[in-house]
Amino acid sequence: MKTRRDTLRAEIHELKAQHNALILAHYYEDGEIQDIADFVGDSLALAQWGERAPNPVILLAGVIFMAESAKILSPTKTVLMPDMNAGCSLVDHSPIDKYNAWKAQHPGAVMVTYVNSSAAVKAITDVTCTSSNAEKIIRAIPEDREILFGPDYNLGRYLMKKTGRKMLLWPGACEVHVLFSARRLFELKSSNPDAPVLAHPECPEAVLQYADVIGSTSRLLEEVQTNTKAKRFIVATEPGIFHQMQKARPEVELIQAPAEGSCACNECPYMKLNTLEKIATSLRTLTTQVQVPLDIIEKARVPLRRMLQLSVGQKVEW
Ligand code: 13P
Ligand code: SF4
């Protein structure tokens, strides 16, 4: 028998065909959203898909900065967000006036900005990065240049350690990843020594010290897919990623890394604002469109394109 969810999914498919729309979803979305998407990926892959796709309409089931990147890379496309309140604490922690003042204090430095930032911040940036290409991008910057890295402090500190490159770091954080508890993770790892710990680099250093694999959402998924010796994994990132991990290896046990206290606060409240109902409404009305001012689009496209070029091994001018 057809359920209400089935009817909703059928409507979304119809609306998609009617507008020739493409649905892109981030790994942190609910499983039922990932399952109706044309493509599910990390923030780098979503930016690459958004740019390549021939569709005139893109619905981005993720957070606003991801939809803004799609709009900046393809300004003629209609880019829809199911919920316009889907922000990100890293965007909130890097207001443009303060970020710009920081840049002004360091003339001649290369500003590297994580894509988890506003379009205005990208517009004053030399090159953007995601967690999956950040190391490559830092290594491509000439040795004699000072580097400003923001807005994620934990990712920046991890990259300094990994590359040996000194950088000045902006004090922003992901409100979800900072809540993992190093103390409780240590206890969990001690009682489950057979389970590798997989962690996103937005986690604090105290948590990352217990990680066996540190990487972007796609890297952590790849580890579950390829490390066939392991039958259990401890995962220190947003649990939306479990959906694809479990699809790839239904037989493995995935253990959520714990937060301090008893809160279940490792779900991203912004990613979880999106629902199938909101996706259907957005496609039906085409009203929840992401808008970026034209002058910001022109400027922000430069660091995003530089990032995409460096990601595929092309050289760029600094
Ligand atoms: P990824 O780039 O690994 O997809 O991460 C995006 C994000 O928002 C992590 O919190
Ligand atoms: Fe932002 Fe953190 Fe949510 Fe990612 S998980 S979108 S960094 S608040």
Side-chain angles (χ1 to χ4, degrees):
M1 203 181 70
K2 250 189 164 191
T3 65
R4 284 181 62 183
R5 299 316 273 167
D6 292 333
T7 312
L8 194 55
R9 275 187 281 269
E11 189 196 355
I12 290 172
H13 278 290
E14 249 172 59
L15 289 163
K16 240 171 55 124
Q18 187 184 321
H19 298 298
N20 188 12
L22 183 81
I23 300 184
L24 301 177
H26 190 266
Y27 289 128
Y28 291 166
E29 293 299 319
D30 280 337
E32 65 175 3
I33 293 182
Q34 296 187 35
D35 288 344
I36 53 110
D38 297 291
F39 180 79
V40 185
D42 69 3
S43 48
L44 175 63
L46 297 182
Q48 289 167 327
W49 265 86
E51 189 185 35
R52 265 202 310 261
N55 309 64
V57 177
I58 294 175
L59 181 137
L60 215 142
V63 290
I64 298 273
F65 74 79
M66 296 174 176
E68 284 179 344
S69 293
K71 185 71 186 174
I72 291 163
L73 290 165
S74 307
T76 58
K77 291 178 190 163
T78 297
V79 179
L80 300 169
M81 274 295 299
D83 190 312
M84 298 302 267
N85 292 315
C88 169
S89 63
L90 285 162
V91 175
D92 298 339
H93 294 172
S94 50
I96 180 61
D97 52 339
K98 296 207 170 67
Y99 209 76
N100 202 14
W102 187 44
K103 182 184 162 104
Q105 286 162 11
H106 300 277
V110 176
M111 179 171 257
V112 184
T113 301
Y114 195 31
V115 288
N116 301 38
S117 52
S118 68
V121 158
K122 288 185 179 78
I124 61 155
T125 288
D126 295 297
V127 62
T128 56
C129 71
T130 72
S131 50
S132 59
N133 61 21
E135 189 182 335
K136 204 180 211 177
I137 282 166
I138 299 301
R139 291 190 192 280
I141 297 170
E143 288 288 337
D144 60 339
R145 300 287 298 274
E146 185 179 34
I147 301 178
L148 303 179
F149 185 93
D152 192 85
Y153 182 87
N154 286 317
L155 175 62
R157 197 218 49 255
Y158 165 72
L159 289 166
M160 286 216 286
K161 197 169 164 196
K162 194 87 205 280
T163 63
R165 193 76 192 260
K166 197 174 170 318
M167 304 193 289
L168 297 174
L169 306 180
W170 182 263
C174 162
E175 67 180 53
V176 177
H177 286 86
V178 290
L179 292 178
F180 287 110
S181 161
R183 184 187 62 80
R184 293 187 68 202
L185 178 59
F186 173 72
E187 284 167 8
L188 190 65
K189 189 175 162 93
S190 306
S191 47
N192 297 277
D194 59 314
V197 175
L198 316 181
H200 197 281
E202 289 173 10
C203 293
E205 187 170 26
V207 168
L208 293 183
Q209 69 176 316
Y210 299 121
D212 298 290
V213 177
I214 299 171
S216 66
T217 47
S218 52
R219 172 68 192 96
L220 304 186
L221 172 60
E222 181 194 58
E223 186 62 21
V224 173
Q225 287 165 333
T226 56
N227 182 356
T228 48
K229 271 193 239 131
K231 303 292 174 227
R232 287 141 42 89
F233 297 87
I234 297 170
V235 185
T237 194
E238 215 274 358
I241 187 78
F242 285 25
H243 187 63
Q244 297 298 329
M245 289 175 168
Q246 213 72 79
K247 266 182 149 177
R249 303 238 354 245
E251 79 285 7
V252 299
E253 185 189 352
L254 301 172
I255 308 166
Q256 172 77 68
E260 200 52 67
S262 58
C263 80
C265 34
N266 296 120
E267 287 209 339
C268 174
Y270 310 106
M271 294 276 185
K272 295 315 198 238
L273 284 174
N274 298 323
T275 61
L276 285 189
E277 286 81 1
K278 290 179 192 173
I279 289 174
T281 305
S282 184
L283 286 170
R284 203 182 301 120
T285 62
L286 299 183
T287 49
T288 52
Q289 293 189 23
V290 169
Q291 305 291 357
V292 181
L294 215 56
D295 59 324
I296 299 284
I297 287 187
E298 292 298 326
K299 290 181 190 145
R301 190 187 300 129
V302 177
L304 276 170
R305 287 227 43 82
R306 264 200 192 125
M307 170 186 81
L308 294 175
Q309 283 171 292
L310 287 168
S311 297
V312 294
Q314 290 172 10
K315 290 222 172 332
V316 302
E317 290 295 317
W318 293 101

